[in-house]
Amino acid sequence: MVSGRQSSDRREPSPPPPLSCDPGQKKPLSAIIKEVCDGWSLANHECFALQHADSSNFYITEKNRNEIKNGTILRLTTSPAQNAQQLHERIQSSSMDAKLEALKDLASLSRDVTFAQEFINLDGICLLTQMVESGTERYQKLQKIMKPCFGDMLSFTLTAFVELMDHGIVSWDTFSVAFIKKIASFVNKSAMDISILQRSLAILESMVLNSHDLYQKVAQEITIGQLIPHLQGTDQEIQTYTIAVINALFLKAPDERRQEMANILAQKQLRSIILTHVIRAQRAINNEMAHQLYVLQVLTFNLLEDRMMTKMDPQDQAQRDIIFELRRIAFDAESEPNNSSGSMEKRKSMYTRDYKKLGFINHVNPAMDFTQTPPGMLALDNMLYFAKHHQDAYIRIVLENSSREDKHECPFGRSSIELTKMLCEILKVGELPSETCNDFHPMFFTHDRSFEEFFCICIQLLNKTWKEMRATSEDFNKVMQVVKEQVMRALTTKPSSLDQFKSKLQNLSYTEILKIRQSERMNQEDFQSRPILELKEKIQPEILELIKQQRLNRLVEGTCFRKLNCRRRQDKFWYCRLSPNHKVLHYGDLEESPQGEVPHDSLQDKLPVADIKAVVTGKDCPHMKEKGALKQNKEVLELAFSILYDSNCQLNFIAPDKHEYCIWTDGLNALLGKDMMSELTRNDLDTLLSMEIKLRLLDLENIQIPDAPPPIPKEPSNYDFVYDCN
């Protein structure tokens, strides 16, 4: 439906003829606009355009017209070129009120890429930057008496700038040092309007992420010390933007500068400030903040990559001295004997014996144990940290195992090397942070040397588990597997401190792990006889139908999806849900993340299920074939899926997590009559089948089920025992 507006002094003409869907889609858009203008007796149809009548106010173009759904209400309005020209003039008005109103309209319209392109063509970005650089000073004198107006004006200016740049039309490399200084000054001021501070931080983050030259300029204007006060406030959104800027500076810093920056962060006590004012603040942590904390955690651990990938040089005396120090702490060696030929042999023999007690593979030259990368020198660093900061535990472990003669000693050196490698794999040291993950661990923000403390807890766990398993050197890999399971299970509980993590591990003894494994294995081991397998096969269709209904019910409830771009400047959401009759998908944009379900009537767009041609995932998705660093991200690829419909039309999704990805791909495949192939379906099928089998076999407890059915007895010689009950 198309509606139009006209001035009240004009005679009411007859309404334009309604536009039928098929002929309208085939006509050029200009012809449709002319037809509507003629119906309302409006001249100069080229000065008009069609626009969505909903809150988005997006213009209709030849490129996006195929996305219009039946029943969508459109509005006849000023063309984007003319609108851009008018706003370009209005924001330069000498009237403060007119200027403020124009900037407010510009901030709203700039979200539309069609309008944005026209405004940018008028050199609008340059005009906005000039207003920020010099225009603010022009009104400094009025700021005291018109402070709210001044704050709103600057806020709308920065909002429009952010929205225009977000379309990726203009390169970030084009901005002057004066503009960067001005934006940085808004961040560095102690008292600044919240909205201005938010947008200034967002601009700085984008500059750093999108331009190497701007990174260097921003790094000169902004220091960590100037950002820290924003973390000590109570506004979580400001805190989120602040950590995002710190992460961007961290991510783009050259390798040689990154460690220096980490030292500055430590000096400024960033970790303890985040722990106090963010993680332990009396409020829930939203998804975006969780993501930024996860990114900071990953970038911090990635500082270990250099040591992890550095091989030990057996000829480097400084590195060899670390091994000597480990030996000295463990065995409190006496002063070195005189450097005679006889004492040299004695010393070598003594060193070899001690290195064997320390659990190194190469007893003669233990430096060779650290030539494998990963974990490289990082393992030796961890061992030295443990020996110095947990000396009693270190000496106890080494002496306890070196005195055993029953081949059950736990080799400290070899264990430390393999454990360091395993912990690096668990924490994905060296990998870039995911764009969608928010899996941060609060306990890593409770200590300045969290990885080393993590290692110290785990090496003691390994020694404890080794003794519980009564393991020998042949069982080394089995012990490492058990330890990995213990660590992973403890991490999934998200302990708030390292002490709590240690406590969780105490409850996950080897005996407890065996119980858990046995419980999880019951389905596979106890129900493999032929009769049980036949029963499973009979029940499976019923269980699959149950899973299918659950998936469809979840689609009816709907899911909020995040709109991702090359940077997570701010949350933009859209919601999609299936109609109760499973015939239509309803979807539409949201201003903020919803609390609960979103009603169907509030979602503007519809897609009939009958129009769906296919569902594709991963690299086959159209939005994953576009260029850009985000599209190459492995985690994003694993969460991406698209619905293909009509000709060259698609609805693109990036699921919030793996669970929602499985729910939606299963549900969509079920709607199309295809098999549900996700890992979640396999797990649910196994769980539900196991439960159903157990319920059906309750009466047969402690009765052994034969593999083959019992033989059918012979017919009786007579049927005299049969009688009529009547």
Side-chain angles (χ1 to χ4, degrees):
M1 182 186 296
V2 179
S3 65
R5 292 182 181 175
Q6 59 179 11
S7 57
S8 58
D9 59 344
R10 185 173 295 173
R11 182 178 58 84
E12 181 80 18
S14 58
L19 301 176
S20 58
C21 184
D22 291 339
Q25 289 289 10
K26 292 176 182 177
K27 285 182 183 179
L29 194 58
S30 57
I32 297 174
I33 294 171
K34 184 176 186 305
E35 183 180 317
V36 175
C37 288
D38 290 344
W40 288 100
S41 302
L42 299 174
N44 302 322
H45 70 274
E46 62 275 1
C47 296
F48 293 91
L50 294 177
Q51 190 181 51
H52 282 281
D54 58 23
S55 58
S56 69
N57 292 329
F58 286 173
Y59 281 101
I60 306 301
T61 64
E62 292 290 356
K63 187 176 180 180
N64 65 21
R65 62 183 295 181
N66 289 329
E67 299 174 10
I68 304 173
K69 306 301 176 186
N70 287 335
T72 300
I73 299 177
L74 305 179
R75 175 172 56 224
L76 187 67
T77 187
T78 311
S79 70
Q82 190 168 356
N83 210 350
Q85 182 64 52
Q86 291 172 356
L87 275 174
H88 192 273
E89 295 169 0
R90 287 170 57 201
I91 62 176
Q92 299 179 71
S93 170
S94 57
S95 166
M96 288 281 284
D97 291 337
K99 193 184 192 79
L100 180 63
E101 193 63 30
L103 287 168
K104 183 178 179 181
D105 292 343
L106 179 63
S108 174
L109 286 168
S110 295
R111 293 178 300 147
D112 182 12
V113 65
T114 308
F115 170 84
Q117 183 67 70
E118 296 293 343
F119 188 78
I120 289 170
N121 290 343
L122 297 172
D123 217 7
I125 292 283
C126 183
L127 177 59
L128 292 179
T129 56
Q130 288 174 2
M131 290 173 63
V132 172
E133 289 174 25
S134 58
T136 51
E137 274 109 3
R138 189 181 305 167
Y139 299 104
Q140 288 292 331
K141 296 178 181 178
L142 300 171
Q143 186 174 0
K144 289 185 179 180
I145 58 174
M146 302 184 68
K147 189 170 183 180
C149 180
F150 171 79
D152 289 343
M153 185 178 297
L154 184 54
S155 174
F156 289 135
T157 304
L158 294 177
T159 301
F161 175 83
V162 168
E163 294 290 354
L164 291 168
M165 291 303 299
D166 208 25
H167 297 297
I169 300 171
V170 178
S171 170
W172 283 92
D173 288 309
T174 57
F175 298 108
S176 66
V177 175
F179 179 70
I180 298 170
K181 286 180 178 291
K182 181 59 67 175
I183 296 297
S185 71
F186 300 146
V187 173
N188 294 337
K189 285 181 181 177
S190 56
M192 179 54 67
D193 183 84
I194 293 294
S195 60
I196 295 173
L197 182 57
Q198 283 179 359
R199 286 150 184 80
S200 299
L201 288 167
I203 291 169
L204 291 176
E205 181 199 2
S206 295
M207 286 179 171
V208 172
L209 291 177
N210 289 285
S211 169
H212 178 69
D213 290 340
L214 288 185
Y215 155 74
Q216 295 176 321
K217 294 172 183 175
V218 171
Q220 292 172 358
E221 298 298 326
I222 292 288
T223 65
I224 301 300
Q226 292 164 330
L227 292 172
I228 292 293
H230 300 312
L231 292 173
Q232 295 172 316
T234 57
D235 190 301
Q236 188 171 116
E237 196 165 358
I238 292 295
Q239 292 174 324
T240 304
Y241 279 105
T242 303
I243 297 177
V245 172
I246 293 172
N247 286 338
L249 290 168
F250 216 143
L251 187 64
K252 292 299 179 179
D255 293 341
E256 65 277 5
R257 170 95 174 98
R258 204 166 290 171
Q259 187 59 57
E260 179 187 340
M261 186 175 174
N263 295 336
I264 295 172
L265 294 178
Q267 292 171 8
K268 297 295 182 181
Q269 298 184 323
L270 175 71
R271 177 199 58 76
S272 60
I273 289 171
I274 289 176
L275 182 67
T276 303
H277 296 278
V278 178
I279 296 176
R280 292 181 178 172
Q282 299 300 314
R283 59 175 180 270
I285 293 177
N286 61 35
N287 288 337
E288 182 62 20
M289 173 60 86
H291 171 75
Q292 295 299 342
L293 291 173
Y294 152 78
V295 172
L296 183 59
Q297 172 186 294
V298 171
L299 294 175
T300 303
F301 284 143
N302 280 356
L303 293 170
L304 304 169
E305 183 182 13
D306 183 52
R307 295 293 283 175
M308 181 181 77
M309 300 307 294
T310 299
K311 295 181 180 180
M312 184 170 184
D313 181 2
Q315 307 304 319
D316 189 319
Q317 187 59 43
Q319 294 180 1
R320 295 178 65 185
D321 286 345
I322 299 176
I323 299 177
F324 293 153
E325 182 68 4
L326 289 173
R327 174 185 165 276
R328 185 196 65 77
I329 295 173
F331 303 113
D332 194 23
E334 297 178 358
S335 58
E336 299 295 332
N338 295 328
N339 196 15
S340 62
S341 59
S343 62
M344 180 67 75
E345 290 300 322
K346 183 179 178 182
R347 184 171 59 178
K348 283 184 178 180
S349 175
M350 181 177 62
Y351 281 5
T352 300
R353 184 190 69 237
D354 289 348
Y355 291 148
K356 183 178 181 180
K357 289 180 180 179
L358 279 169
F360 290 112
I361 297 174
N362 192 318
H363 306 152
V364 178
N365 186 7
M368 299 303 296
D369 287 14
F370 300 96
T371 55
Q372 179 188 355
T373 57
M377 288 294 292
L378 183 60
L380 188 58
D381 294 342
N382 283 339
M383 293 167 70
L384 183 63
Y385 181 90
F386 181 51
K388 286 190 170 183
H389 294 82
H390 300 270
Q391 195 170 104
D392 292 343
Y394 167 70
I395 294 173
R396 176 178 54 78
I397 288 175
V398 172
L399 296 184
E400 183 181 276
N401 287 286
S402 64
S403 61
R404 301 185 70 167
E405 300 292 340
D406 55 1
K407 296 184 180 180
H408 288 287
E409 67 277 1
C410 176
F412 173 74
R414 182 185 177 191
S415 299
S416 297
I417 293 169
E418 290 301 317
L419 179 64
T420 301
K421 182 179 179 181
M422 185 186 79
L423 297 182
C424 288
E425 290 173 355
I426 291 174
L427 298 177
K428 299 181 179 179
V429 174
E431 295 186 19
L432 287 174
S434 162
E435 276 290 339
T436 57
C437 185
N438 54 14
D439 186 27
F440 82 97
H441 293 277
M443 73 176 192
F444 291 130
F445 289 86
T446 62
H447 201 284
D448 289 327
R449 303 289 293 275
S450 59
F451 183 81
E452 290 86 345
E453 289 292 327
F454 186 41
F455 167 84
C456 293
I457 293 171
C458 292
I459 192 64
Q460 295 177 74
L461 167 72
L462 192 153
N463 187 65
K464 172 175 170 286
T465 302
W466 185 284
K467 289 189 291 185
E468 290 173 348
M469 294 177 67
R470 291 193 55 79
T472 63
S473 57
E474 288 81 10
D475 301 318
F476 186 86
N477 290 333
K478 291 181 182 177
V479 175
M480 294 305 297
Q481 289 172 3
V482 173
V483 170
K484 183 173 184 178
E485 185 172 347
Q486 290 170 314
V487 172
M488 293 292 286
R489 287 185 183 277
L491 283 177
T492 55
T493 64
K494 292 293 181 70
S496 59
S497 67
L498 290 164
D499 286 339
Q500 196 177 91
F501 173 68
K502 195 172 183 177
S503 176
K504 297 282 184 186
L505 291 176
Q506 290 293 333
N507 297 327
L508 284 170
S509 63
Y510 176 58
T511 304
E512 185 64 25
I513 291 294
L514 285 180
K515 289 179 182 178
I516 295 171
R517 285 182 172 181
Q518 184 178 4
S519 175
E520 293 174 349
R521 257 198 320 262
M522 280 183 64
N523 302 336
Q524 301 168 0
E525 293 181 353
D526 296 345
F527 302 118
Q528 296 302 314
S529 64
R530 201 176 82 180
I532 300 299
L533 292 176
E534 289 178 357
L535 181 58
K536 279 186 177 181
E537 191 175 339
K538 183 179 179 181
I539 297 173
Q540 185 164 316
E542 178 184 337
I543 300 296
L544 283 172
E545 182 62 28
L546 185 65
I547 294 173
K548 174 184 173 182
Q549 290 304 318
Q550 188 271 340
R551 300 294 190 264
L552 294 177
N553 289 340
R554 280 288 290 105
L555 264 62
V556 170
E557 292 176 14
T559 301
C560 179
F561 296 92
R562 185 193 300 273
K563 288 187 174 182
L564 287 181
N565 50 23
C566 59
R567 57 193 173 84
R568 297 168 63 111
R569 176 180 54 79
Q570 62 185 35
D571 288 340
K572 291 187 177 181
F573 302 98
W574 69 287
Y575 200 89
C576 187
R577 62 181 299 180
L578 181 66
S579 62
N581 63 4
H582 301 173
K583 296 292 181 67
V584 179
L585 282 172
H586 299 262
Y587 62 96
D589 293 340
L590 300 176
E591 292 297 326
E592 57 185 5
S593 182
Q595 302 296 323
E597 294 183 19
V598 176
H600 293 95
D601 52 12
S602 66
L603 301 173
Q604 309 92 345
D605 301 310
K606 299 178 183 179
L607 172 60
V609 172
D611 290 350
I612 299 177
K613 307 297 182 187
V615 176
V616 294
T617 61
K619 293 181 180 179
D620 296 327
C621 297
H623 59 315
M624 291 295 107
K625 294 177 181 177
E626 301 169 9
K627 293 182 179 179
L630 171 65
K631 308 303 183 285
Q632 308 305 318
N633 190 293
K634 180 182 176 183
E635 285 80 3
V636 174
L637 281 174
E638 291 176 349
L639 298 176
F641 62 97
S642 297
I643 296 175
L644 307 183
Y645 63 97
D646 293 342
S647 56
N648 300 323
C649 293
Q650 68 270 337
L651 192 58
N652 298 321
F653 299 76
I654 296 179
D657 51 50
K658 193 68 178 177
H659 183 267
E660 286 297 321
Y661 170 85
C662 293
I663 290 288
W664 274 84
T665 52
D666 283 344
L668 292 171
N669 281 323
L671 286 174
L672 299 179
K674 297 181 179 179
D675 292 336
M676 298 178 292
M677 304 298 292
S678 75
E679 181 182 349
L680 182 62
T681 291
R682 290 195 297 272
N683 292 338
D684 287 351
L685 181 60
D686 289 343
T687 302
L688 293 173
L689 270 176
S690 171
M691 291 172 61
E692 185 66 22
I693 292 291
K694 288 177 181 177
L695 287 172
R696 296 197 181 198
L697 297 181
L698 279 177
D699 294 336
L700 298 178
E701 190 173 357
N702 298 324
I703 298 176
Q704 186 174 1
I705 301 173
D707 290 335
I712 299 175
K714 294 180 181 180
E715 288 191 27
S717 57
N718 62 70
Y719 291 89
D720 293 344
F721 58 86
V722 178
Y723 60 93
D724 190 351
C725 294
N726 297 324

